[in-house]
Amino acid sequence: MIKLKYFIPLFILFCLAISCKENQDSQTTINQDLIIDLNKLNNEIVQFQKLVTTDQSQKEIVEQFKKSRLAYKKVEWAVEYFIPETARFMNGPALDEMELEENKSFEPHGFQVMEELIYPEYEVTNKEDLVRELNIFASNIKQLKSTFEVITISNDYVLDAVQQNVFRVIALGITGFDSPILQTSIPEAGESLIGIPSLLERIDGTSKTLADLKKLITEAQKYCKNNNNFNAFNRAVFITQYLNPISKKIKAFQKEEKIQNVKKSSPLKPTATTFFDKDAFDVNGFVLSDAHNFTADKATLGEKLFYDKTLSKNNDRSCATCHHPEKAFTDGLKTNVSLNGSNLMRNTPTLTYASLQNAQFWDMRQLDLEKQSVDVIENKDEMHGSLKDIHAQILLDSEYVKLFKKAYPKTAKPEAWQIQNAIASYVRSLNAFDSKFDVYMRGEKNTLTNQEIEGMNLFMGKAKCATCHFTPLFNGTVPPNYSKTEHEVIGTPNDISGKALSPDTGRYLYNKMPQLVGAFKTPTVRNIAVTGPYMHNGVFKTLEEVVDFYNKGGGKGLGYAVDNQTLPFDALKLTKKEEQSLVAFMKTLTDKKYQQN
């Protein structure tokens, strides 16, 4: 789970610092409540420190760890939203934090590091490291208290933070993302919801919507308490019957109280009623500027460019040559083919939902679709074209000039950057969100079979797929902030025999850091049924082969020397029936236009 930093909403702190003083008494109470909960968290950490320094039993230390993280869950909604950089070092993955722009890395801290130190075994030699982690954690609590003592949290930010917290429970909480070893995610999910009613009560305690919300949250907590086994937990039921209705009630409360949405740049729209709304995501979330924003006219122009072979040097290849629409914009080949007919190193990825990641290509060498398009056009092995020459040709083409004028009415004639933006806009139009899974999550309960629902629960639970392919985009851009895109080191074989590791070093080609050897972008699983072969080198022809690889623990599980593998290398111990259910679920992520009748 190596990270690529893209955008951190630190502006929130500045906005809050100067926000208006409306409802100041209630907002002061929210801050005071946060301080109280942070003091409770600190008390749990102090007790944790005492148990460790006095050499108490592993059982007592583990139980205190659980209590401490439950206490953190009560303040997580605010910490993650307002101070995400501190949150990363309180409950983030136990993997180095990467600053790729500066070729720097920072060692992880927080609960997940402690979790590895105390479970499944606790060694005396771990004591010093554990004490160090607890001291750092205590310092972070102190920092949080100082911050929440001085900022003013207005009602719009409260509502936005609370809504994002529900989305966090869906995508990260119930999947085990932040409890990978102890698997205490289910009771922690219930604890994450517990404070929502009291927060909204500060705004309007007489609201009927709030009364309905309280009832829903009580029932959700009860469901978590009565079904707290991580592997057996029915996430399909929990999301559709509890979390989605809770999310809708929060939006209803916001509308009832006439509270405006927070304006921010994010692929997740602040207007989203649930995580699974058809229009929940904004393709402008990762654009370079307002001038690059998507429009239908730009997409129409981009589609024409996408199929135009004159963009290549010899006028014999277009974007569609390697991205076939009927194959969800892949080519069905193991690896791409160069202009001279030789095989390239990597598989052609789908363009569907590519606009909802802030990194392109398997090695993530470009951050946006505009740069991605020109990278391919000017690559000597792929299209070997020239943006400068293409621009000159377009200026002489009256049909193109008309389309550019319609798409970019503020400019007198086509400009070079608009070629890239138009193609990118067409790619941004390729997100349907109409798969069987989407329809099910919007309330049509008979859409999925029992096997497919079992597969969904495996994907988000025992099989650990959703800890990298995050619901509902099923790619590696981390929700709900969507500010970082992950890539993973999984130890992909070089060929189906499994005798050797792939020699492709991936992201390491551009950032010479040992953690990045063999690191590749986490692609979307949407439309995966029609986008094989799979992996960066197309080594697996079927989804069954992919599942078998992960079930064995990836490359390290196969015996390769992948010391920097980010994928858990223990066997998942999926049964054949479970493997079949997992594949059945992944097939429900196919857009309607690609589904076989």
Side-chain angles (χ1 to χ4, degrees), residues 49-66:
Q49 290 171 318
K50 288 180 181 178
L51 292 176
V52 174
T53 55
T54 56
D55 298 320
Q56 300 304 307
S57 69
Q58 182 206 19
K59 181 179 180 181
E60 289 177 285
I61 288 172
V62 169
E63 287 306 308
Q64 185 56 40
F65 171 87
K66 292 178 181 179

Side-chain angles (χ1 to χ4, degrees), residues 120-175:
E121 294 180 358
Y122 175 57
E123 305 289 344
V124 176
T125 52
N126 292 342
K127 178 179 175 179
E128 184 177 340
D129 288 337
L130 188 52
V131 169
R132 175 171 169 264
E133 286 300 323
L134 287 165
N135 289 337
I136 292 171
F137 199 96
S139 295
N140 282 329
I141 294 174
K142 186 176 180 180
Q143 178 190 336
L144 293 176
K145 288 169 64 178
S146 298
T147 300
F148 288 122
E149 282 171 353
V150 298
I151 65 173
T152 301
I153 306 176
S154 55
N155 290 345
D156 52 348
Y157 283 98
V158 172
L159 266 295
D160 198 47
V162 165
Q163 186 72 293
Q164 284 210 29
N165 190 52
V166 176
F167 297 156
R168 181 177 294 105
V169 171
I170 293 171
L172 305 179
I174 57 177
T175 65

Side-chain angles (χ1 to χ4, degrees), residues 112-293:
Q112 292 195 46
V113 174
M114 298 182 215
E115 194 170 351
E116 289 188 352
L117 292 172
I118 67 173
Y119 192 84
E121 294 180 358
Y122 175 57
E123 305 289 344
V124 176
T125 52
N126 292 342
K127 178 179 175 179
E128 184 177 340
D129 288 337
L130 188 52
V131 169
R132 175 171 169 264
E133 286 300 323
L134 287 165
N135 289 337
I136 292 171
F137 199 96
S139 295
N140 282 329
I141 294 174
K142 186 176 180 180
Q143 178 190 336
L144 293 176
K145 288 169 64 178
S146 298
T147 300
F148 288 122
E149 282 171 353
V150 298
I151 65 173
T152 301
I153 306 176
S154 55
N155 290 345
D156 52 348
Y157 283 98
V158 172
L159 266 295
D160 198 47
V162 165
Q163 186 72 293
Q164 284 210 29
N165 190 52
V166 176
F167 297 156
R168 181 177 294 105
V169 171
I170 293 171
L172 305 179
I174 57 177
T175 65
F177 178 80
D178 53 6
S179 181
I181 303 175
L182 278 170
Q183 296 188 339
T184 53
S185 299
I186 306 309
E188 289 174 7
E191 202 71 17
S192 294
L193 302 172
I194 196 170
I196 294 176
S198 60
L199 283 167
L200 303 191
E201 199 167 23
R202 304 300 186 200
I203 298 171
D204 182 1
T206 64
S207 166
K208 183 182 183 302
T209 300
L210 179 57
D212 295 338
L213 183 60
K214 285 181 178 179
K215 183 179 178 182
L216 264 174
I217 288 177
T218 299
E219 291 172 350
Q221 289 175 288
K222 183 178 179 181
Y223 188 83
C224 289
K225 185 177 181 180
N226 293 339
N227 303 274
N228 62 10
N229 182 286
F230 179 80
N231 287 342
F233 189 71
N234 194 324
R235 291 153 179 86
V237 168
F238 190 57
I239 294 172
T240 57
Q241 295 186 21
Y242 299 102
L243 295 181
N244 281 351
I246 287 171
S247 185
K248 289 177 182 178
K249 286 296 180 183
I250 291 170
K251 268 299 173 189
F253 179 88
Q254 180 180 0
K255 184 177 181 180
E256 183 181 280
E257 298 299 321
K258 297 181 173 58
I259 298 172
Q260 297 296 313
N261 289 315
V262 173
K263 293 182 179 180
K264 58 184 177 180
S265 177
S266 171
L268 179 60
K269 294 179 182 178
T271 54
T273 302
T274 78
F275 219 7
F276 306 95
D277 291 358
K278 189 174 179 63
D279 61 348
F281 290 89
D282 183 2
V283 293
N284 294 323
F286 293 131
V287 297
L288 299 169
S289 69
D290 289 346
H292 290 78
N293 279 354

Side-chain angles (χ1 to χ4, degrees), residues 421-488:
N421 182 231
I423 295 173
S425 295
Y426 175 57
V427 175
R428 291 182 178 114
S429 73
L430 305 178
N431 311 328
F433 288 105
D434 61 0
S435 68
K436 287 176 63 178
F437 167 80
D438 294 306
V439 174
Y440 176 84
M441 298 308 285
R442 291 175 197 141
E444 295 192 25
K445 296 182 179 180
N446 296 325
T447 306
L448 299 186
T449 66
N450 290 336
Q451 183 190 40
E452 290 164 347
I453 291 172
E454 181 190 16
M456 174 184 168
N457 286 318
L458 287 164
F459 190 97
M460 297 180 70
K462 181 181 177 180
K464 302 181 181 180
C465 310
T467 60
C468 299
H469 299 277
F470 304 109
T471 309
L473 298 180
F474 298 99
N475 64 23
T477 306
V478 187
N481 291 333
Y482 293 100
S483 59
K484 297 178 183 178
T485 290
E486 292 191 343
H487 38 205
E488 304 285 343

Side-chain angles (χ1 to χ4, degrees), residues 312-318 321 336-342 344 376-377 379-385:
S312 63
K313 183 178 182 180
N314 296 325
N315 300 329
D316 60 358
R317 179 176 282 202
S318 70
T321 303
N336 205 339
V337 178
S338 71
L339 284 172
N340 64 17
S342 62
L344 297 175
V376 173
I377 289 170
N379 187 302
K380 64 181 179 63
D381 292 320
E382 297 187 56
M383 294 179 73
H384 206 185

Side-chain angles (χ1 to χ4, degrees), residues 513-530:
M513 304 171 71
Q515 301 97 321
L516 298 178
V517 176
F520 294 93
K521 182 177 77 170
T522 304
T524 184
V525 183
R526 284 180 173 272
N527 293 319
I528 197 168
V530 293

Side-chain angles (χ1 to χ4, degrees), residues 14 50 84 87 90 148 172 184 205 209 223 235 299 304 326 362 404 411 447 457 489 504 510 531 545:
F14 297 103
K50 288 180 181 178
M90 296 184 82
F148 288 122
L172 305 179
T184 53
T209 300
Y223 188 83
R235 291 153 179 86
K304 181 175 173 61
E326 70 275 10
W362 281 104
F404 271 90
T411 55
T447 306
N457 286 318
V489 179
D504 192 337
Y510 300 93
T531 58
E545 290 173 346

